[in-house]
Amino acid sequence: MELADMEKILDKNVGAFNRREMNCAESTLKSVCEYIGADDKLLPRIATAFGGGMGGSQSVCGAVTGALMALGVMAGREAGGDQTRCKALAGRFLRDFTAEYGTLTCMGLTGVDMKDPAQMAAFRAPGGKHYTVCTGCVRWVCMYMARLKEEENL
C-alpha cells in the first residue's frame, strides 16, 4: 500500500471518530490494521476500553494506545518469541510522539476535564479540541505507523 491509501482509510475512520462511532484508540487501531491488511471483526472492539486516555481516565492518549496495539499486530511476537524489536519500535514511537506533542496523556494534550459536562460540550463542539487536537493526533499517529511499516519492512 501507499501512504495515499492510509489517507483514504483515515478519511473514512476519522469521519467515524468525529461522528462518535469510534473512539480515538479504536479509530487508530482499525486504520493501521486496515492499512497493513490485518482488518478483523474484532476491530475496533479490542481497543474500546482504551479511548479517552485508557477507560476515560485521561491517562495515555487513545491514539497512542491504539498505535501500540497496532504495532503489536505488525511486529509482535508469537508466544515465547523475542519481543526486542517490537519494544524498540514502541520506544521510538513514544519518543517521537512526545517530541511532537510534548506529552503522552489525554489530559495533557487536550487540557479538558472530561468529567465536566461544560468542558465536554466545548470539547465536542465544532472547532473544539476533539477536532483541533484529537483528530490531528489520530491522523499523525496513523501516518507515522504507515511510514514505520514501510521503513522497517513490517
Side-chain angles (χ1 to χ4, degrees), residues 17-153:
F17 174 55
N18 287 337
R19 290 186 304 276
R20 299 175 72 181
E21 295 168 6
M22 286 194 284
N23 67 37
C24 44
E26 294 167 337
S27 57
T28 299
L29 177 61
K30 185 157 178 50
S31 295
V32 175
C33 286
E34 282 183 40
Y35 181 76
I36 66 172
D39 197 14
D40 186 276
K41 68 180 183 175
L42 289 176
L43 303 172
R45 295 179 67 158
I46 61 175
T48 299
F50 293 87
M54 296 179 24
S57 69
Q58 295 188 265
S59 180
V60 179
C61 167
V64 170
T65 56
L68 292 173
M69 286 184 268
L71 185 56
V73 174
M74 293 189 322
R77 66 181 177 165
E78 298 293 325
D82 186 13
Q83 58 186 322
T84 306
R85 183 174 188 209
C86 189
K87 283 191 172 187
L89 292 170
R92 175 177 152 191
F93 164 70
L94 293 170
R95 283 188 302 278
D96 291 347
F97 185 91
T98 302
E100 181 72 19
Y101 289 101
T103 184
L104 293 172
T105 69
C106 177
M107 175 59 92
L109 290 162
T110 66
V112 173
D113 178 356
M114 293 189 176
K115 292 177 181 56
D116 179 324
Q119 288 187 45
M120 275 306 289
F123 173 79
R124 291 271 180 208
K129 290 191 177 180
H130 171 84
Y131 301 96
T132 62
V133 175
C134 299
T135 296
C137 283
V138 169
R139 285 187 172 279
W140 186 91
V141 165
C142 290
M143 293 305 295
Y144 180 99
M145 297 304 287
R147 285 189 300 276
L148 184 68
K149 178 196 181 302
E150 304 311 319
E151 291 168 11
E152 294 293 327
N153 225 3

